[in-house]
Structure formats: C-alpha cells, structure tokens
Amino acid sequence: MHNYTAGIILFLCAGFIPSILPSKFKSPAYLAVLFAGAVFSLLGLLPFLFSGSLESMTFSGPPLFGDFKFALNPVSAFFALIITVSGAAGMLYAEGHLKGYSANKGIKGHYVLISLLISSMLALVMCRNVFAFMMAWELMSLASFFLVMFEGEKEDVFKAGINYFIIMHIGAFLIGAGFVIGALKAGSFDIGAISVMVRGDEKTAGIIFLLLAAGFAVKAGLMPFHTWLPRAHPAAPSHVSGMMSGIMIKMGIFGILLAVSITGFPELRICYIMLALSVISAVLGIIYAAGESDMKKILAYSSVENIGIIMAGFSLGFIFKNYGNVYAAVFMFAGAFLHALFHSFFKELLFFGAGAVYQNTHTRNIEELGGLSKKMKATAYLFFCGALAITAMPFFSGFISEFLIYAGIITGAKTNGPVLFTAAIMSAGAVSLTGGLAIIAFTRLYSVIFSGSSRSEKTDAASETNGLSLAAMYFLAFMCLAGGVLPQYFFKAVSAPVSYLLDGAHTADAFAVIQGLLKSISFVLALGASVIAAVYLIRKISLRGKKDESSETWGCGYQKSSARVQYTADSFSEPLSAVSRSVTGKYEDLEKPKGVLPKKAFYGSGLSDVIESFFAACINRFTGRFFGSLANVQSGNMQHYILYGLIFLLAAFVYAMAVK
Amino acid sequence: MKILIYSAVFLLMPFIFAGIINNVKSFWAGRQGPPLLQPFFDFVKFLKKGRVISVTSGGIFAAAPVAGAAAALIASLVVPVSGSGSLFSFGGDFIFFAYILALGKFFMIASSMETGSSFEGMGASREAFFSALVEPSFFIIFASLSAFSGHLSFSGIMNFIRTGEPLMTAIIILCSASLYVTLLTEGCRVPVDDPNTHLELTMIHEVMVLDNSGPDMALINYASWLKMTMFSVLISGIIIDPATGAGISLAITLLIIITAAIATGCIESMFARLRMTHVPQFLLLTASIAVAVLSIAVLVIFGGLK
C-alpha cells in the first residue's frame, strides 16, 4: 500500500521535472522518476492482484464528508496495473513525441497535466469515499480536458475540447446523483457503508445502479454516449489520445464494476439492455471505423467497438451469474478483463504509430498518405503488429480475450431458456462480425497509410520517428505478442479480480479449465510457428541461387502507372459502405459547378453518426417545441403585454394576501 | 498412422482436388482433361521459377505467401478427419480455425494493397468484405452446435451429430450446405469468383495476386486448394455418423472430398459468376442457414422437439 502511494507520488513528480530542472538533465531525470514510479506502483499493487490481500488506509477528511478511506482490492489493483503499465508507456512516448512540440509555450504545464492524469487515475481506483472519489474523478476529467486543449488555438480543437468538457460533466452529474442518493440513504459518504445500506433496498439499488452505470458509460464511450470520443481523440495530441483511449475510458469500466460492487449484480432486464447496447456499440463502432478517413477518428471508433466487446463480456457474465452459472461467468469476466488489459496495449500502440505519422506529415487524412513503410520502417511494422492484435489474430493478444469470450458464451448459452440461448449465440455472431469488419478497417488503415506509393506531397519529408517514441511502441508491441503467445501468464493477473467480482463463489474448476485451454493455444501456436518456419524454408530453398527481378507493379499493360491510380481508402470500404449506408446514414457536401466557365466545384461525402444525429435531432425537436410554444407568449400586441403585467400583479397580490 | 493419413489428406489431396475440378470442367467443355496431378506438376514448376517483385512492394508482400500457406496448414492441424480424429484437438479449436484462416487473409489483403495497384486494391476490398459476411454464419452455426452438444471442439461436435434422427438430418443438410458455400468463397470459385476470368475488373482473388510469381504463386495456389479440401473434410465430418468404423469413414471422407470437387467443377461449368452486387446476397444465404440451425437447436433443447 505504501509502495503504491509512493508510486502515485513519483508519477506526479515526474511531470514537474521538466519545469524545474535545466533542460540538460531534464530527460534522463524524467525517465528515471517515471521508471521508479512504475516500479513502486507495481510493487504496491501486485500483492493485491495475486494474493488477493486487502489493506486500507484511512485519513480524516473534512467533517462533512467523513473519513477518507483508501483501499485496494483485486479489481482496483487490476485497473491500477493497466494505468501503471500503459501509463508509463504513454509517458515514455510523450517524452519523445513532445520534442516535436518544443516550440509550444504550454509544454511544461502539459507535462504536469499528463502526470496529473495518470496519478489521479491511480488514486481514483483506491478511493473508498464518495467525496474523494468525485475529486479524483474531476481531476482526471479536467486534466484530460486541458490535455485535449493542448492546441486550443485551433478552432476544431477548441470545439472538440468544449464538447468533451460538457459531456464529461453530464456524466459526472449522473455519477454524483447516484452517489448522493446512496449517501443520503446511508447517512455516510463511505462507499462500503453505502453498499451495506443500499443492498437491502432493491428499488433504490436499481436507481443508483442505473445512474452510476449511465454516468460511467459516458466515460467508457459506450453507445449512445460515445459521441465525445470521435471528436476528442483527433483533437488531442497522440500521446494523450493514446492514454485516453487506452487507459482513461477503462475507468468507465472500472466505475461500472464499482457500481456492481455497491448495489450487487444488476437485475436481468438491465443486463439485457446493457448487452444490447454493447453489441450495438461493437458493430456500429467498427462500421464507422471502416468508413472514416481521419486516422485518429478511425481509432476512436474502434475504441467504441472494443468497449462494446468488453461490456458485452461483462453483461453476459452478469446474466450467467444471475442465473447461477458461475462457471460460464468466470469465462466471460476473464475474457472481458483480459480484453481491457490488452486493448490498452494495442490501442496505445496504434495511436502512438498514428502520432508518429502525424508528426511527420501533418495530416490525419489517410487519403493524403501512402508509401510510408519505406520511410518509417519500424513504425510501419509496429503499427502492423498493433493492427494484427486489435483484429484478434492468433499469435497476438486480442485473440486470447475474444477466445475466452466466445468460449464463455458457448458454455453459458444453455443456462436458462431460449431467450438467453438466442441472445448469447447471436452475440457470438455479432462479435465475429465485428472481427470480420475489423479486418476491413485495419487492413485499410494500415495499407492506405503505409503501403503503396505516396498520395500527396505531404509524405515527402517523412522520416523515422525518434528513439524514445519507438521504445514505447516496441514495449507495447512486445506486450501484444507476449499476451498472444503466453496467455497463461497473463491470465494469472485476472484470476483474483474475477474471483473478487464473483464474491468468493467457487471458481477453481473454471480457472483450471481456462488454464488448460490457454496452454493448448500456446502449444498449437508453437506448433504453428514451426509450420511457418517450414513453409518459409521451402520457399527459401526453392529461391536459392536465383535473383529476384524487380519491375513496376503490373498495370494490365499500361506502362505509365501513377500513384493516383491506387485504390483509395474510400473505395476500399465502398462495398461495406454501400450496404451499411442504409443503417449508418451518410452526409453529402455538394457545390455544383455554376455558369458557363465554372471556377469551383466540390463534392464530399462520408458517414454521419446515426446515433449522434438521432439524439441531436431529438433534443433539438424537444427544445424547439418547448421554446416554440413559449414564443406564442410574445404576440407583438401591446394589449397582451399589458394584460401579462396585470395578471402578474394580481397573482402577486393574491399570493401576498394568502401568505398573510 | 494418424500423421500418415493427415499428410495424405492435407498435403496430397489439395492437388487432386484441383485436378478433379479441371477434369470435370474439361469434360463439360468436351475437351481432353489434363492429368489428374497436373496442379502438382504446376506447383513444382512454379517452385523452380524465379520471382518478379514489384518495386512498390515491401516486407509484407514478401511475408504474405508464407503466412497464407502456413495459416492454412496450421488450420488443418485442428480439422478432424473422420476415422482418425484430429491431429490436435482442444476446446474452442473451431474458433482458432476461423481466426487463423483470417490471419492468412489479413496478410494477403495487406500484401495486395502494398503493390499500389488499383486492381489489386479492388480485389482486396472485395475479399475483405465477402469474408466478413461469411464469418458470422460460421460462428453462429458452430456456436449453436457447440452449445447444443456441450463440446467446444470440432471433434466433440462431430461426435454429437448422429444420423438417423430427422432433426439431426436437417442440421447435417444445413451445415453441409453452409460449409459448401464457405468452401466456394474461400476457394474463390464460381458463383462468388471466377478463377478463369480474363477481365481484372471482375476478379477477386486472382486480381489480388497479379504481382506474385514463382514460389510465392505456388504457395498461394496450394493454400487456396488446401482450404477447399479442408472445408470438404469438415463437411464429411458432419455427415459421417460417429459410430461408423474407421476404415469405412476414411473411405467416405475421400469420397466426399471427391464429390465436392466434382460438384465445384460442375457448378463452374454450368453457371456464370454472379454480378458483383449480387454476391453479398448469395453469401447471406449462409446467414439464413445459420439462423435455421440456431432455431433447430433452440427447439430441440427447450421445446422438447425430437
């Protein structure tokens, strides 16, 4: 516990180093403190994660809010692990990436904000007092808001930042409301006390769970609350979007699990609604990811998809638990936890790769890129690894977590009745559909950025990114590969959280089975590696002594090939968009040529976020109708206005008389 | 013995499979067919040749043929051959099977995009989209059967499916039909794709590999034939009753592989490739089959239907 606290403080200190120390020692000192922070934090949290030990610290807080209790349990230690490992990788990358921004005057403050974001999240997971929790939560939201606003002088960044700020506070309002109801009921701000009081009262528990879950879902980016993600991520600098997408949205998941630990497992109806929202998030998220052409927007939508998969895992786990099938619930929870961990690795890797590309080309529009694998070889291969991991390809980590989710769905499907069976199997179908669509989205993203030849002059000056950024990406790629090849060791990190979530139910059998499955996957992958080696050798032997001829790409006889004939990102996803357009909606921007000698014409089209436009339309219609009815008051007739005055005076008179 | 059967089925049969298709097509066209092992001779010939590599391409283009062929071979490790069981079976091996095939596909798509050709991009885009349409059906079918039977592996599922009961027969027919459509898609055959077409605009798989040559082409061709063989072995696993003796089921398996090849050749001779816009509709046929299998499973488990 003390190690962990020391880790938080060290993480916080790291951010202040660039402001204090002269620039000569800045970088090594920053890295040293960062590394020390990560080590202390790991030392502190690992005992909670592996042995399930529980320990708490209490400080006396302000009299109104009771004592500030801090405690770690396996679930919070698990999220602390995500924050520590991916946070350290993110801060390492930031050190390299920010060299490109050294002219920006806010850079010192930016370092402070980064470390504030990480340490506030580390503190958040151990808060057991509502007041302290909300403070840490606000600190996290505000730090990330200012980080998004790093280039706030740009109009689109500013707009996205404000949008993020407002939506975060709608979420915080819901969370606060849920906690306050609980606190009033319990007469205490202690989360443990609230939990004890609330569990007896089913109705209040239901309301509190809904409020908390909705509020945390805003942070997690679950549809229909996802609209801030595709705006804020492109606006923020890449190390920030990487950390927000890899780590911060997981705090939403942590929050939902916290809500579960307060109110108990949600009732079935709510579970099914959560499942439906998660599946919609997963499928629609990846459809948008396959259709967008802003590379960070693509990654943001893919986060929506992955959050959908994680939450689908948890929701089905809750459902199985509700029906008493702990065995299947273990699979689901293990898969969901692992996916949260792995997602933080590969999503950061992809965002960092995108950041390296952006820094070299100053464009996020993938239609203007191409051919970068020759200029940024290491970045290209690392990005490819990230793409393989996020599409759940065997040998990489994403496969393991999705495998457990599938296995859990199948084991638990027969638990209750036909409704559950159909819902479970169709969810498996939906997850596999997202898998197939993810292949479209990520082969497209990788290929259009890195393959072929350049589509515009913006890539001319591109060169390999700096060593520190690459080091962070190598580390993350290593974690992606390790998680895929040796999953049994990563599973150990999630077994205690799963048991804790299931409240001491018998989980040993399921754990043994899962370990067995993961070991067989590991074995078959080793076998697979030797098959790959054999095939490679066959080709190598047959190519021995021959020299490859090189020539232009075959253009069906046409000799003057140009980069402009390449398939574009838009045409690559056209078959899918043609089908999905009926669901997703589409916007078209058309400026027709005018006159005899037209000067300018423009056509643009893209996907429009159907959920956002639906909600915006609903709110607009409601407010429009409400304020429209108020407009009748203003008739423009002087007699009416005098009448209003008289009515008001009369009412005031009656009120005064009545009160007396 | 097991390894022997395996190598015979998955190393030798793909060539024969392709040879049978060619012969059937020749028969329908009234030509004298090539030798049955001609695909094998072609394979060897390609291995002996050198390569022409596009200057635009890079590392993934070089890795993809190996990845594609290796992925298909790894997938075949978990496919049970009736009568001998699978070489390597574990819970959830059908999930692994689908994803390892997807890995090969991922590499092939990325590799054809790497050449910077508009035609290859077109093929890659279609390949990615069509396989995304087939995948959910495969999962819904096998997840239903797996949940139904309580077994997570291919061999568990196949041992569970017995012939004789009417509903089981329905499942067998539906599964075989769906797997056969998948075979045609994965093998890039008519009506999804036409391997003989000469117009790049209408190709899918052939156009993706325009720039591959020599040993790379040999591996790509072999992977495509191997995938078709694998899916016909899966069909035979579904059809053959688990109680059948080892020798007989092996014979039936071979018979079914040959039948699938003949059927593919016949379809290719008698039908034209579908219009590109109609291919998704054809592939979604598998989705309706999947839903049918799911509903049968629901009816049997919860409705007491026998």
Side-chain angles (χ1 to χ4, degrees):
Chain A
M1 195 81 188
H2 291 297
N3 283 339
Y4 184 71
T5 327
I8 297 181
I9 293 167
L10 282 168
F11 264 112
L12 192 59
C13 290
F16 285 97
I17 285 174
S19 340
I20 316 166
L21 286 183
S23 56
K24 207 172 166 188
F25 311 109
K26 200 183 76 176
S27 198
Y30 170 81
L31 294 177
V33 174
L34 178 62
F35 184 72
V39 169
F40 271 103
S41 170
L42 281 179
L43 281 178
L45 67 90
L46 288 181
F48 295 93
L49 199 55
F50 287 123
S51 60
S53 74
L54 299 165
E55 193 189 333
S56 59
M57 279 190 309
T58 311
F59 302 105
S60 52
L64 187 58
F65 299 107
D67 287 343
F68 281 4
K69 192 174 161 202
F70 294 99
L72 279 174
N73 57 45
V75 172
S76 48
F78 175 76
F79 283 93
L81 176 75
I82 294 181
I83 303 165
T84 307
V85 178
S86 300
M91 287 176 77
L92 174 63
Y93 177 81
E95 171 64 13
H97 191 64
L98 279 171
K99 288 198 175 115
Y101 292 95
S102 49
N104 195 312
K105 58 182 184 302
I107 194 115
K108 285 176 179 167
H110 190 75
Y111 274 104
V112 176
L113 286 167
I114 294 175
S115 57
L116 196 60
L117 174 66
I118 300 294
S119 42
S120 66
M121 287 192 287
L122 283 171
L124 176 78
V125 295
M126 60 179 206
C127 289
R128 299 298 295 168
N129 176 295
V130 170
F131 189 69
F133 185 91
M134 287 313 286
M135 284 209 302
W137 186 264
E138 266 313 292
L139 213 54
M140 169 181 83
S141 291
L142 286 177
S144 55
F145 163 68
F146 285 114
L147 287 170
V148 170
M149 293 287 260
F150 184 51
E151 294 175 291
E153 65 279 358
K154 295 183 187 164
E155 197 196 339
D156 55 333
V157 173
F158 185 79
K159 272 189 181 164
I162 295 296
N163 174 287
Y164 173 65
F165 185 78
I166 293 172
I167 292 185
M168 275 313 103
H169 284 85
I170 295 175
F173 167 75
L174 291 169
I175 299 166
F179 276 138
V180 164
I181 293 176
L184 287 176
K185 183 100 185 153
S188 155
F189 279 96
D190 185 66
I191 288 179
I194 293 177
S195 169
V196 171
M197 284 307 290
V198 158
R199 281 191 186 222
D201 183 350
E202 224 166 75
K203 209 173 159 196
T204 327
I207 293 170
I208 292 177
F209 181 81
L210 275 186
L211 282 170
L212 289 180
F216 288 123
V218 173
K219 183 60 100 185
L222 200 66
M223 280 187 186
F225 309 109
H226 69 287
T227 51
W228 63 271
L229 273 150
R231 289 165 196 271
H233 286 326
S238 294
H239 52 283
V240 175
S241 16
M243 282 189 268
M244 279 169 71
S245 200
I247 314 169
M248 197 186 70
I249 58 173
K250 307 295 179 335
M251 293 301 106
I253 307 274
F254 169 73
I256 292 175
L257 296 181
L258 181 74
V260 170
S261 78
I262 292 174
T263 61
F265 285 96
E267 59 172 313
L268 274 170
R269 264 179 309 172
I270 296 175
C271 293
Y272 277 114
I273 292 171
M274 272 164 51
L275 176 63
L277 288 179
S278 316
V279 169
I280 291 171
S281 299
V283 175
L284 273 186
I286 197 66
I287 286 179
Y288 284 118
E292 283 292 342
S293 51
D294 177 329
M295 57 186 174
K296 287 169 83 181
K297 226 175 198 179
I298 293 174
L299 294 175
Y301 271 120
S302 134
S303 291
V304 175
E305 174 232 329
N306 279 289
I307 288 291
I309 292 177
I310 296 170
M311 278 315 296
F314 278 120
S315 327
L316 272 167
F318 297 151
I319 294 176
F320 293 150
K321 173 74 178 55
N322 258 325
Y323 287 123
N325 190 344
V326 174
Y327 180 80
V330 169
F331 276 79
M332 300 312 294
F333 290 155
F337 270 125
L338 274 178
H339 203 69
L341 177 66
F342 292 153
H343 178 250
S344 78
F345 298 149
F346 49 67
K347 189 44 71 61
E348 278 202 337
L349 176 57
L350 289 167
F351 262 118
F352 294 171
V357 170
Y358 176 70
Q359 201 158 46
N360 275 294
T361 58
H362 303 287
T363 178
R364 292 194 310 264
N365 184 357
I366 56 175
E367 305 280 22
E368 295 178 334
L369 299 169
L372 281 176
S373 66
K374 298 204 179 61
K375 290 173 174 159
M376 312 173 69
K377 210 164 191 172
T379 311
Y381 285 133
L382 290 166
F383 196 90
F384 193 70
C385 283
L388 286 171
I390 203 168
T391 42
M393 291 297 132
F395 292 101
F396 288 90
S397 55
F399 173 69
I400 301 301
S401 42
E402 289 196 13
F403 178 89
L404 286 179
I405 289 177
Y406 282 122
I409 290 177
I410 294 164
T411 357
K414 263 202 299 193
T415 305
N416 185 263
V419 176
L420 176 62
F421 189 86
T422 316
I425 300 291
M426 289 314 259
S427 317
V431 175
S432 77
L433 178 64
T434 45
L437 297 179
I439 292 180
I440 301 182
F442 284 95
T443 48
R444 173 178 178 267
L445 182 62
Y446 171 81
S447 304
V448 176
I449 297 178
F450 292 104
S451 300
S453 26
S454 167
R455 289 179 175 78
S456 78
E457 70 286 358
K458 292 197 171 162
T459 59
D460 290 350
S463 63
E464 190 54 85
T465 190
N466 55 62
L468 283 177
S469 306
L470 276 182
M473 286 156 70
Y474 272 117
F475 169 72
L476 291 167
F478 171 76
M479 293 308 270
C480 290
L481 193 61
V485 179
L486 298 167
Q488 58 272 41
Y489 300 104
F490 284 77
F491 175 72
K492 287 200 177 113
V494 302
S495 49
V498 170
S499 305
Y500 183 81
L501 202 59
L502 285 165
D503 223 358
H506 183 69
T507 50
D509 294 348
F511 283 162
V513 171
I514 291 176
Q515 280 289 9
L517 287 182
L518 295 181
K519 268 181 202 148
S520 5
I521 290 178
S522 195
F523 178 74
V524 82
L525 287 179
L527 220 59
S530 51
V531 171
I532 294 174
V535 176
Y536 178 76
L537 269 182
I538 290 175
R539 189 179 70 170
K540 187 150 186 139
I541 289 167
S542 63
L543 279 175
R544 202 179 37 193
K546 288 174 215 151
K547 202 158 177 286
D548 288 340
E549 268 177 65
S550 62
S551 90
E552 290 290 321
T553 296
W554 171 241
C556 304
Y558 184 64
Q559 295 297 322
K560 297 277 171 206
S561 193
S562 116
R564 299 195 59 163
V565 307
Q566 280 180 100
Y567 232 43
T568 60
D570 227 19
S571 36
F572 188 81
S573 56
E574 173 58 24
L576 172 65
S577 322
V579 176
S580 66
R581 214 168 271 151
S582 52
V583 188
T584 53
K586 162 191 179 188
Y587 75 85
E588 278 183 329
D589 222 356
L590 176 63
E591 198 182 317
K592 281 187 181 166
K594 284 187 205 102
V596 185
L597 296 170
K599 284 216 173 88
K600 192 181 146 195
F602 175 82
Y603 175 77
S605 72
L607 300 171
S608 62
D609 194 319
V610 64
I611 292 187
E612 186 174 12
S613 43
F614 175 74
F615 271 83
C618 278
I619 293 171
N620 280 346
R621 204 181 306 137
F622 172 74
T623 47
R625 204 176 286 161
F626 179 71
F627 290 112
S629 65
L630 283 184
N632 290 335
V633 174
Q634 192 192 15
S635 61
N637 195 334
M638 186 56 80
Q639 282 91 335
H640 286 167
Y641 296 153
I642 295 171
L643 184 68
Y644 297 151
L646 280 177
I647 292 174
F648 174 74
L649 282 179
L650 194 68
F653 179 68
V654 169
Y655 177 75
M657 293 302 282
V659 168
K660 257 185 190 168
Chain B
M1 186 64 193
K2 202 173 185 177
I3 291 175
L4 212 64
I5 293 174
Y6 250 81
S7 4
V9 169
F10 291 117
L11 295 181
L12 185 63
M13 274 316 268
F15 299 110
I16 298 177
F17 196 99
I20 293 175
I21 295 181
N22 288 341
N23 272 291
V24 171
K25 282 166 78 176
S26 306
F27 170 77
W28 282 96
R31 286 185 277 124
Q32 175 85 44
L36 197 60
L37 279 178
Q38 187 60 42
F40 179 73
F41 303 141
D42 288 345
F43 179 78
V44 175
K45 186 179 79 188
F46 275 130
L47 278 185
K48 284 182 185 160
K49 284 183 180 282
R51 299 189 295 184
V52 183
I53 304 270
S54 156
V55 284
T56 330
S57 68
I60 290 161
F61 182 81
V66 174
L73 277 169
I74 299 171
S76 72
L77 291 177
V78 299
V79 174
V81 178
S82 280
S84 83
S86 63
L87 210 56
F88 194 76
S89 167
F90 60 96
D93 55 6
F94 72 89
I95 305 166
F96 179 77
F97 172 83
Y99 273 85
I100 195 86
L101 284 182
L103 176 70
K105 215 169 284 167
F106 191 107
F107 268 92
M108 287 312 296
I109 293 168
S111 122
S112 52
M113 287 295 282
E114 204 165 49
T115 57
S117 144
S118 52
F119 298 112
E120 293 184 42
M122 196 178 291
S125 151
R126 288 168 183 167
E127 166 95 343
F129 179 56
F130 293 156
S131 33
L133 288 179
V134 186
E135 197 162 336
S137 322
F138 179 85
F139 266 93
I140 293 176
I141 289 177
F142 276 94
S144 321
L145 293 179
S146 175
F148 186 11
S149 63
H151 294 286
L152 278 168
S153 65
F154 267 137
S155 41
I157 295 169
M158 284 163 186
N159 281 331
F160 171 76
I161 300 177
R162 297 171 180 284
T163 44
E165 298 159 31
L167 276 174
M168 280 296 182
T169 317
I171 285 184
I172 289 171
I173 294 170
L174 289 170
C175 285
S176 316
S178 164
L179 282 172
Y180 188 66
V181 172
T182 319
L183 180 153
L184 293 177
T185 321
E186 292 282 336
C188 319
R189 291 282 153 179
V190 172
V192 179
D193 188 5
D194 186 354
N196 286 356
T197 182
H198 290 290
L199 180 61
E200 288 85 352
L201 284 173
T202 61
M203 295 179 183
I204 301 173
H205 186 256
E206 296 302 306
V207 78
M208 286 173 71
V209 297
L210 275 180
D211 267 285
N212 291 95
S213 49
D216 287 350
M217 199 59 215
L219 291 177
I220 291 170
N221 282 339
Y222 170 70
S224 155
W225 300 330
L226 173 60
K227 277 193 224 169
M228 288 195 283
T229 315
M230 243 156 28
F231 276 98
S232 43
V233 171
L234 279 183
I235 295 177
S236 67
I238 297 276
I239 292 178
I240 295 168
D241 193 279
T244 322
I248 302 172
S249 30
L250 201 61
I252 302 179
T253 305
L254 289 180
L255 205 66
I256 288 173
I257 297 175
I258 293 168
T259 317
I262 294 175
T264 311
C266 290
I267 290 176
E268 216 152 293
S269 310
M270 290 191 282
F271 295 94
R273 192 184 58 79
L274 286 171
R275 260 176 63 193
M276 212 49 91
T277 42
H278 289 188
V279 174
Q281 295 164 12
F282 174 71
L283 295 181
L284 285 179
L285 182 75
T286 57
S288 49
I289 294 177
V291 173
V293 173
L294 172 62
S295 22
I296 292 178
V298 168
L299 286 176
V300 175
I301 302 171
F302 304 105
L305 214 64
K306 279 269 160 59

